[in-house]
Amino acid sequence: MPHDCQLRAGDVVFRRGGSIISHSVVLLDAHGQYSHVGIVVDSAGVPMIVHAVPGEPDFDGDVDRVKMESPESFFDVQRASRGEVCRVKDSLVAANAAEVARQIYDRHTLFDHDYNGNDTTRMYCTELVIYAYKRQGMELANGEAEHVELPGFKVDCYFPSQVYESPYLHSVLQFQDDE
């Protein structure tokens, strides 16, 4: 991510990773160019990214959960080959959505491996962002949850593209790893 990018609370950030899970998300998502999404929050004047992610432990024994980390860590080349920062026009709604996301992080919310959008005690990445904005009266999800059916796995979930395609978001910055 370029160092001159000025993130704001409520910015919605997207990345495409190189893991098997990331490739699976992009393959399942008919319109997808990104495999993961998070939301920027203000942490004592420092922009941080809150996101729900599996398989990225901070320490041995760490569980899959909602995390808060620096933009540099979120967009690290080991996790992201490309990324994008998007923003809603209403900065008050954005800041309030960011505060909801921060509260979800503060309550140590676990990752939702069942991708159940009706249960907010656990969350997956798009669910977190959609929920934070929905609490402010803004429906970021473009369309209904997608039905995914694989052997032993049936869910209705939202993909990052359904947030990315929201008419409320506009792109502020796109970047990719040049290697």
Side-chain angles (χ1 to χ4, degrees), residues 87-179:
R87 187 170 288 156
V88 299
K89 291 182 180 177
D90 189 326
S91 60
L92 181 59
V93 166
N96 289 337
E99 182 54 32
V100 170
R102 176 63 188 258
Q103 292 167 4
I104 292 167
Y105 164 77
D106 286 343
R107 73 177 192 226
H108 307 287
T109 304
L110 296 176
F111 185 83
D112 183 1
H113 289 281
D114 295 326
Y115 297 88
N116 181 352
N118 296 318
D119 175 9
T120 59
T121 62
R122 296 174 184 250
M123 294 197 158
Y124 62 96
C125 66
T126 49
E127 179 184 14
L128 169 67
V129 174
I130 290 167
Y131 178 81
Y133 271 95
K134 191 175 217 170
R135 290 277 311 272
Q136 304 314 307
M138 185 177 284
E139 184 63 63
L140 278 190
N142 191 18
E144 297 296 319
E146 296 285 330
H147 183 70
V148 176
E149 193 167 329
L150 300 170
F153 185 75
K154 292 181 188 178
V155 297
D156 292 316
C157 65
Y158 288 97
F159 285 102
S161 70
Q162 291 174 272
V163 174
Y164 183 78
E165 294 170 350
S166 171
Y168 296 107
L169 290 176
H170 67 277
S171 180
V172 177
L173 176 71
Q174 292 182 344
F175 53 92
Q176 67 183 32
D177 182 20
D178 293 329
E179 294 182 32

Side-chain angles (χ1 to χ4, degrees), residues 8-10 39-50 68 95 98-99 102:
R8 295 184 193 164
I39 185 169
V40 176
V41 301
D42 182 313
S43 179
V46 176
M48 299 290 281
I49 297 174
V50 169
M68 181 168 65
E99 182 54 32
R102 176 63 188 258

